[in-house]
Amino acid sequence: MNCRVFYHDNCFDGACSASLFTRFHRECVGTASSFDYVGMKHKAGALFEESEFQADGENAIVDFKYSPSPRVTWWFDHHQSAFMTPEDEANFRAGQVNADGTPGPKAMREFFDPKYVSCTGWIAYIASTKFGMDIAPLAELIKWANIVDGAKYESAKAAVEMEAPAMKLTMVIESAPDSALVQRFIPLMTAMSLQEVLDQPFVQELIGPLMEKHWEGVELIRERAYCERGVISFDITDQPTEGYNKFIPYYLHPEGTYNVGLSKSSFRNKVSVGTNPWTTKPADELANIAAICERFGGGGHARVGAISFPVEQEDEARMAAAQIVMELRDLEG
């Protein structure tokens, strides 16, 4: 039997989650003889097509939004905006607990906790506490998934200058032009150290050109970004990109509390909204970024989120970005 794993594409935590889930399934479940992978991207409209889920086999979703499809066998997520609709959340809750209070039919198949820093860490916790998996050999992967997805770098310099192997791998994964490249990483990330993955020839041949492009991105954002009343904003839609290092604005403007960036890729206009991980403001004074993004059809975490608009809706994306910038500036006073 095959297990198809749907994961958050172009995301270090998404790739780590898919890898760790695969190893967990092999060691603790053992019902699948093969695995394949489908990269998922946030976009306007429906995220899943029912035809993508296998009728014969298992389907797992990791580090991505919930689907109520009866074909979904496993689900792990940690995003505050995990449910597209209240009905989806009700479907999830109904599978967790029966009317008599006993565990529901999906209590050991679907797992959600928005308090977890990374989905990789969440899967590891469930695998170890509920299924008895030894996660000690995966400590490096879990540590870096938490650092990358939780923006827990020691400084903006460390995040942007990317000396650690995990940071270079993150760059390659986030810049990958298609899912096939990311899927080459997935089987390796729980079988090798991150340095060993980085040393693979297919990775090394990408590093030089990507680092050059990365520093070009730093200079582009340096030209476009400005900080006013604690909010960094910039628009690079005229320079289409599949992604950029989201810590560049704080590297350039460490005084900013928030960042609102507008960019365009091959399939969407994206409004990226974030909170400076190194801000000295108390947590209870910070905006809930996921809640702001949800109002425009996006989502994310309390400190970082995004909104996707179709490629042809650049004006709508620009209007949303402008509204969010003004809201955050007003919050800053």
Side-chain angles (χ1 to χ4, degrees), residues 140-248:
E140 182 195 31
L141 186 78
I142 297 165
K143 169 191 169 182
W144 277 102
N146 286 338
I147 290 173
V148 172
D149 221 45
K152 294 185 176 296
Y153 308 102
E154 61 184 31
S155 66
K157 182 178 185 290
V160 173
E161 297 186 3
M162 298 189 295
E163 294 182 1
M167 293 305 304
K168 290 185 173 68
L169 291 173
T170 297
M171 176 182 65
V172 175
I173 289 169
E174 290 183 350
S175 304
D178 57 61
S179 296
L181 177 60
V182 179
Q183 288 161 18
R184 294 183 71 179
F185 283 89
I186 291 172
L188 305 180
M189 298 183 85
T190 52
M192 299 178 175
S193 71
L194 296 180
Q195 182 63 59
E196 288 172 329
V197 177
L198 183 65
D199 289 341
Q200 296 301 300
F202 83 93
V203 181
Q204 282 297 307
E205 68 184 18
L206 299 172
I207 295 296
L210 284 175
M211 286 299 294
E212 182 178 346
K213 186 176 179 181
H214 165 67
W215 287 111
E216 289 173 356
V218 172
E219 292 309 309
L220 176 63
I221 294 175
R222 189 193 303 276
E223 293 172 5
R224 302 291 178 86
Y226 67 99
C227 185
E228 181 179 332
R229 290 162 55 196
V231 181
I232 310 161
S233 60
F234 62 91
D235 181 344
I236 56 170
T237 51
D238 63 327
Q239 302 284 333
T241 177
E242 296 303 319
Y244 59 86
N245 184 304
K246 58 182 174 287
F247 303 103
I248 294 172

Side-chain angles (χ1 to χ4, degrees), residues 1-82:
M1 183 175 65
N2 184 65
C3 181
R4 177 162 295 164
V5 184
F6 296 78
Y7 66 96
H8 190 186
D9 209 1
N10 293 108
C11 172
F12 183 76
D13 187 33
C16 293
S17 295
S19 185
L20 199 150
F21 173 82
T22 301
R23 181 159 170 171
F24 150 70
H25 197 288
R26 282 180 173 147
E27 292 185 9
C28 302
V29 183
T31 52
S33 55
S34 61
F35 294 82
D36 64 18
Y37 304 94
V38 178
M40 302 298 298
K41 297 181 180 180
H42 294 291
K43 57 187 179 182
L47 298 177
F48 295 99
E49 296 289 340
E50 187 66 16
S51 60
E52 293 181 308
F53 296 126
Q54 300 178 112
D56 300 318
E58 296 188 20
N59 299 284
I61 302 172
V62 297
D63 196 37
F64 207 73
K65 288 185 182 287
Y66 181 79
S67 169
S69 170
R71 292 184 177 179
V72 174
T73 321
W74 301 89
W75 178 61
F76 292 83
D77 196 33
H78 70 130
H79 291 90
Q80 181 177 317
S81 305

Side-chain angles (χ1 to χ4, degrees), residues 244-263:
Y244 59 86
N245 184 304
K246 58 182 174 287
F247 303 103
I248 294 172
Y250 313 119
Y251 179 74
L252 300 172
H253 294 280
E255 74 277 17
T257 304
Y258 302 104
N259 163 61
V260 182
L262 184 60
S263 61

